[in-house]
Amino acid sequence: MTETAAHTNPALERVDLPVEGMTCASCAARIERGLGRIEGVGEARVNFAAQTATVLYDPSVVRPDAFRVMRMFEEVPDGDDDRDAVERECL
């Protein structure tokens, strides 16, 4: 996690979340991109090995409950409605 986003906007808050179900680095990258697309997120980093996500966000725009990624790919906005196809990409 870089300090860049926090230094650029000191109003950003940090939340560390567990992420379950990742099977490869591509899964982690896809979740990271999805989190980064949420309005109010300054920075998102997903650690595949640790099965965690760290998100810097503006609490005046978005709440941490918007970052729920407990069910892989279902709640991450990525524009892909075909869950089976998404999961096959990560195998």
Side-chain angles (χ1 to χ4, degrees), residues 1-8 12 14 42-45 54-56:
M1 170 67 57
T2 64
E3 302 278 330
T4 307
H7 286 297
T8 304
L12 294 181
R14 174 183 168 154
E43 184 174 349
R45 294 283 176 235
T54 300
V55 182
L56 294 179

Side-chain angles (χ1 to χ4, degrees), residues 27-67:
C27 294
R30 187 174 197 91
I31 292 169
E32 190 171 290
R33 282 192 310 272
L35 287 169
R37 290 180 183 147
I38 297 173
E39 184 177 351
V41 170
E43 184 174 349
R45 294 283 176 235
V46 176
N47 184 314
F48 172 64
Q51 300 281 298
T52 60
T54 300
V55 182
L56 294 179
Y57 67 97
D58 182 341
S60 69
V61 178
V62 66
R63 295 176 32 180
D65 59 351
F67 309 140

Side-chain angles (χ1 to χ4, degrees), residues 30 73 78 80-91:
R30 187 174 197 91
F73 307 117
D78 64 1
D80 191 342
D81 294 329
D82 186 356
R83 180 176 173 204
D84 291 335
V86 172
E87 288 179 344
R88 280 193 301 274
E89 283 182 23
C90 292
L91 295 179

